[in-house]
Amino acid sequence: MFRKLVAIEPVSLIPSAEEELHSYAEEVVMYRDIPVGDDEIAARIGDADAVLLSYTSQIGRAVMERCADIKYIGMCCSLYSPESANVDIRFASGRGIAVTGIRDYGDEGVVEYVVSELVRCLHGFGQEPWDGMARELTGMKVGVVGLGKSGGMIADAMRFFGADIAYFARSEKPAAAAKGYRFLPLDKLLRQSEVVFCCLNKNTVLLHEEEFKQLGNRKILFNTGLSPAWDEPAFAEWLDGDNLCFCDTVGALGGEYLLSHPHVRCMQVSTGRTRQAFDRLSEKVLANIREYFGK
């Protein structure tokens, strides 16, 4: 059992999950606002031996050096790699601190978002139809950049509606080939696709000036990641063409100044944050703690 567990910010656990935390710690402290800077984060952690955080704060070396009692850090958000994490996992490992994270808890809401927005755009619901008259997804050339869990789900959803699917990933996926998805080099995928979905890990940038030249004009671009998949100057220049970009959050878009661009459609809300996502998140966070204790 932990001596003291502190959630340094809102971590989106459902009430029953928060109650269960008391089974794993003598004392549980849950902060309901986001700390500002390392000093406040360190003060909130204090002498706690277990810490929970979401995606809006960071725990780096400076904080861990000041909070010597930490034994466990539970990320109540996606953990794909040390490079994309908001915890300095390598430094934590060197100090014997266990760091856990979760995956695949909000993808369903993201898939519903992209289907909804693309259908509205093509059919002209509340706007002019993208092609001048209502159009189905049937036969549309769709490119998916990053065929992980969410990218795969988006590809499957587009396929259900009859789209022609191609993808780019670090390696070819036999399961994708079995579904008829074509593996293409990034430049070729960008040239041929009418709609491109970027489904990349946080801080992964694949679209530079040359890639936007390959993407060309009269295209629709979705970014479903937590950070921009592009170099901002090249992206901003591409936006000035006859193109559209859809993002759910400002974090995925980049600079706030881009919100006012006429070719940007940003919901300014995380579409993966649904009731069901909080259920999945809560169970996975608790499962990590149980595994830590060998339960």
Side-chain angles (χ1 to χ4, degrees), residues 13-48:
L13 298 183
I14 61 176
S16 61
E18 287 195 11
E19 284 298 315
E20 188 172 335
L21 289 178
H22 291 268
S23 303
Y24 306 112
E26 296 173 9
E27 180 183 0
V28 175
V29 179
M30 307 290 290
Y31 285 93
R32 307 298 181 183
D33 61 339
I34 298 172
V36 180
D38 286 351
D39 289 343
E40 188 172 358
I41 291 172
R44 291 187 178 191
I45 295 172
D47 63 351

Side-chain angles (χ1 to χ4, degrees), residues 93-167:
S93 178
R95 292 177 69 92
I97 299 171
V99 180
T100 63
I102 60 175
R103 299 179 67 165
D104 307 334
Y105 63 93
D107 298 313
E108 288 80 357
V110 173
V111 175
E112 292 182 0
Y113 155 69
V114 301
V115 170
S116 171
E117 288 301 288
L118 185 53
V119 168
R120 286 174 53 81
C121 177
L122 296 179
H123 280 259
F125 299 150
Q127 58 199 289
E128 287 297 315
W130 177 243
D131 281 346
M133 67 177 296
R135 177 183 177 180
E136 303 168 2
L137 282 164
T138 306
M140 173 164 274
K141 291 189 178 299
V142 168
V144 180
V145 180
L147 205 70
K149 178 65 180 298
S150 65
M153 290 175 68
I154 288 172
D156 291 346
M158 295 295 113
R159 175 181 177 236
F160 174 81
F161 289 105
D164 178 11
I165 311 299
Y167 73 97

